Structure formats: structure tokens, C-alpha cells
Amino acid sequence: MLRDVFSIYLLHIGKILLIGITMVLPLLLVHTAASAVFAFYVDDSVYANMFSFFFYVIVLWLIQVPYIHLFKQETSGEEVRLIEMYRVFFQCFFPVLLVGIGYGLLVVLGLTLLIIRV
């Protein structure tokens, strides 16, 4: 099982790195810029860290889409096409973003309640 996963990684390492550079890196740069701007305008570091964590959870939710599609293509026996991963990413961007926002809000709310409780 683990050997199969690593063989998929080694087989498609170029595509995985290209997705990382073209999709993941820009989203992480937007996350860093938004967190820095929010931290600059908010004096409280707790709120700035909570916003950064919230936004990071959303970004992590979004960047999984092309990798999931890559492994779906590989396991179903289809040809792994890079353009198909980009198409699926942009097609699913807003629905996944909305679910990610809800998920992020629930995680931050749960973390806040945990901090208040302790």
C-alpha cells in the first residue's frame, strides 16, 4: 500500500511540483499577505493569530483539490493530465471555498471555546 503511494509520487513528481508552484505557492503567498495586513491593522495578537489560522485552514482545504484529482485519475486508470487538474481546481474553487470557510469557522470557534474552557 505505502509502496504504491510512493510509486505514484515518483511517477508524477514533475506534475506534483508544478501544481505546488503554480497553485499552492500563490495561495500561501496570499495567506501570508492577508495575515500580515490583518496583523498590522489589529493591535491584538490573539485576533491576528486566530485570523491567520482561520485563513490557513481555508487555504489548506483548497490546495487539496488538484492532488485529490491526480490520485483519482491515477487510481481509476485514466491518463493523468495536468490541464484536467487545473480545470477541476477552478471548477470546484468556489464550492470548496464555501465549505472551507464553514469548516474554518467551526475549527476556530471550537478552538476559542477550548481556550475559554481551559
Side-chain angles (χ1 to χ4, degrees):
M1 175 77 175
L2 194 58
R3 188 179 317 151
D4 295 337
V5 171
F6 283 122
S7 68
I8 292 172
Y9 274 116
L10 290 176
L11 185 63
H12 301 292
I13 191 71
K15 293 175 184 174
I16 291 171
L17 290 175
L18 189 61
I19 289 170
I21 291 170
T22 58
M23 285 190 222
V24 175
L25 185 63
L27 284 173
L28 291 176
L29 290 174
V30 168
H31 163 263
T32 304
S35 298
V37 168
F38 190 80
F40 180 75
Y41 286 112
V42 175
D43 291 332
D44 192 8
S45 65
V46 173
Y47 288 128
N49 286 332
M50 290 299 263
F51 174 78
S52 178
F53 179 67
F54 168 70
F55 198 57
Y56 192 66
V57 167
I58 294 171
V59 168
L60 285 177
W61 195 266
L62 282 171
I63 62 177
Q64 294 178 30
V65 173
Y67 296 116
I68 291 171
H69 189 69
L70 181 138
F71 283 99
K72 178 187 164 277
Q73 284 180 331
E74 179 65 34
T75 56
S76 66
E78 299 175 25
E79 178 186 354
V80 177
R81 296 179 41 213
L82 194 60
I83 192 73
E84 186 70 22
M85 286 181 271
Y86 286 110
R87 186 191 64 76
V88 168
F89 176 74
F90 290 115
Q91 181 182 2
C92 298
F93 183 80
F94 288 109
V96 172
L97 179 67
L98 293 176
V99 171
I101 289 171
Y103 177 72
L105 285 173
L106 290 174
V107 168
V108 169
L109 177 66
L111 183 64
T112 305
L113 292 174
L114 176 68
I115 292 172
I116 292 173
R117 176 78 170 116
V118 172

